[in-house]
Amino acid sequence: MRRCRARSYARRPRPCILRNLPPAAADQGRSRRQETYSMNEQEQKGILTLSLMAAFADGSKDESERAEVKRIADALAGEGSINLAALYQDVLLKRVSMAAAVAMLTSPEARQLAFEMAVCVCDADGVQSPPEKQFLADLRDALALDVQQSVAYSQQAEAIAALPVAWGRSADSEAASPPPAAPTAAAPAAAAAGYASTMSEDEIDRAILNAAILNGALELLPESLSTMAIIPLQMKLVYRIGKSYGFELDRTHIKDFLATLGVGLTSQYLEQAGRKLLGGLLGKAGGKLLGSIGKQAVSSGMSFASTYALGHVARRYYAGGRSFSAQMLRDSFDRVLGEAKGLQTRYLPEIQARARTLDTAQIVDLVRRG
């Protein structure tokens, strides 16, 4: 495969995690570490196949999440020539094996990215379950990746997935906290009058917009962990808004809230990462954030739109004392999502400017700060 010439980029390259490279190859890799790399269609297909396998690795996806993953596969089918709907069926019906998918990956970069995406898919809805850990161990062996560096990457993703949604609390204390109390008997009257927030209207508007711009910026970055960070940042936004209206929320409540809106955590990661992969962005070792990336931002911008819609629907929900029905929440989210898609182009310059300031080497700290 033809490679482009080495160029000087400011962004730090991703480490190679392939083992048993001879010294000459390792030296050559260091001399070309600022190159970009474009996956071919076969490699994209292999990576997406393994990502779908990872989505179902724990066997606990309910019917709604399976339907959402299928919807994403159908939607992404229009992004390129790969028949993702057929891939989904092949994985679901076990008509394709891990070995066959790995055989499609002919380059070190594709094998590395396949593992990273699989890790992030498993961590998208929380820390890895035992079946997911076993799946990733088997995949690492099939890809012939270095164990130590693969484990280190997995630990980075786990650290992001395990971060508490609340500021100043450890993941352990959050996991041990009781579920949030339901509204009291006086809630209907309070809901009619509206709950008061400790934040002003302008402060809430700015918090939502800033979060949407940040997640839109993360969507422009080629590193897989940047995509992984979008979901916990969305959860932190919902927590902050609910907290301002007097509701003490935990991760389980927020996950249920997102699920009610139709925002599946695993499926959302698949959509975000899949668009970046098919757009030729995900997995690049560096490069400018404008040009073709800007074109992709205009065509998708799902992270900006979904974050914006989540924030405004959460605001209405908690201001109303959590009195909305599931259908009302879903209808409201769909309506605001449509509005947000129209706003994404308007805020694209701010999104691109924010992307230039992000240091993906500090992605865990970014999520921790919210």
Side-chain angles (χ1 to χ4, degrees):
M1 177 173 292
R2 186 170 62 88
R3 291 181 179 270
C4 61
R5 291 182 303 166
R7 301 164 65 184
S8 177
Y9 295 121
R11 194 167 297 281
R12 180 179 298 179
R14 297 161 5 139
C16 179
I17 55 178
L18 295 172
R19 69 177 173 225
N20 299 329
L21 284 178
D27 292 339
Q28 184 181 39
R30 282 192 292 270
S31 68
R32 300 185 310 185
R33 59 173 48 181
Q34 300 298 341
E35 290 183 345
T36 61
Y37 177 80
S38 297
M39 305 290 163
N40 61 39
E41 185 176 300
Q42 175 179 279
E43 289 173 327
Q44 289 176 340
K45 182 177 179 181
I47 292 171
L48 290 168
T49 299
L50 292 169
S51 297
L52 287 168
M53 287 181 175
F56 298 117
D58 65 358
S60 64
K61 293 288 183 294
D62 60 25
E63 189 58 36
S64 62
E65 181 73 348
R66 285 176 181 268
E68 189 65 11
V69 172
K70 183 180 186 303
R71 183 191 70 76
I72 297 306
D74 291 342
L76 289 178
E79 300 289 323
S81 58
I82 299 174
N83 189 343
L84 274 169
L87 282 187
Y88 171 86
Q89 291 297 327
D90 287 344
V91 170
L92 198 63
L93 299 177
K94 302 185 185 304
R95 293 191 297 229
V96 61
S97 66
M98 178 184 291
V102 167
M104 301 180 197
L105 309 177
T106 57
S107 67
E109 294 88 348
R111 295 197 290 276
Q112 176 180 330
L113 181 59
F115 180 76
E116 292 183 5
M117 279 188 64
V119 168
C120 292
V121 167
C122 289
D123 281 320
D125 58 354
V127 295
Q128 298 161 17
S129 65
E132 288 173 329
K133 289 181 182 294
Q134 185 61 55
F135 171 83
L136 292 173
D138 292 343
L139 178 59
R140 180 195 65 217
D141 292 343
L143 293 168
L145 302 183
D146 178 81
V147 174
Q148 183 177 358
Q149 294 190 32
S150 298
V151 169
Y153 181 87
S154 185
Q155 288 174 341
Q156 282 185 289
E158 289 271 276
I160 295 173
L163 285 173
V165 296
W167 289 273
R169 295 170 62 180
S170 68
D172 291 340
S173 67
E174 181 179 284
S177 64
T184 64
Y195 277 61
S197 173
T198 57
M199 301 168 65
S200 69
E201 293 292 308
D202 287 344
E203 286 173 332
I204 297 177
D205 284 340
R206 177 51 57 183
I208 294 171
L209 183 58
N210 284 344
I213 288 172
L214 173 57
N215 279 341
L218 288 168
E219 190 176 30
L220 296 185
L221 301 183
E223 292 84 1
S224 53
L225 282 180
S226 68
T227 311
M228 174 74 191
I230 291 171
I231 293 171
L233 286 170
Q234 289 177 337
M235 297 178 75
K236 279 181 171 289
L237 175 65
V238 173
Y239 172 86
R240 182 180 181 187
I241 293 172
K243 178 73 171 178
S244 78
Y245 284 101
F247 294 97
E248 188 65 41
L249 310 177
D250 66 1
R251 185 182 299 274
T252 299
H253 173 94
I254 296 174
K255 287 172 64 175
D256 290 345
F257 174 73
L258 266 61
T260 301
L261 300 180
V263 182
L265 303 184
T266 301
S267 55
Q268 184 181 185
Y269 176 82
L270 281 170
E271 180 170 23
Q272 293 162 345
R275 288 186 190 280
K276 290 169 77 170
L277 176 69
L278 294 173
L281 173 58
L282 190 64
K284 290 192 174 185
K288 296 179 180 179
L289 291 171
L290 304 179
S292 61
I293 297 177
K295 179 180 178 181
Q296 186 216 359
V298 173
S299 66
S300 57
M302 289 304 298
S303 299
F304 172 90
S306 60
T307 304
Y308 186 92
L310 278 171
H312 281 285
V313 173
R315 172 196 216 165
R316 297 172 189 177
Y317 180 55
Y318 297 112
R322 301 193 299 184
S323 60
F324 292 8
S325 68
Q327 189 59 52
M328 289 173 64
L329 281 172
R330 184 63 184 266
D331 290 345
S332 181
F333 178 76
D334 290 343
R335 183 171 59 255
V336 181
L337 184 64
E339 297 170 1
K341 289 177 180 178
L343 290 173
Q344 193 270 343
T345 302
R346 172 182 169 186
Y347 287 104
L348 180 57
E350 292 183 51
I351 293 170
Q352 292 174 325
R354 185 72 176 93
R356 295 186 190 99
T357 70
L358 295 176
D359 181 359
T360 52
Q362 299 175 345
I363 198 72
V364 174
D365 290 335
L366 177 69
V367 177
R368 182 179 288 112
R369 294 193 307 268

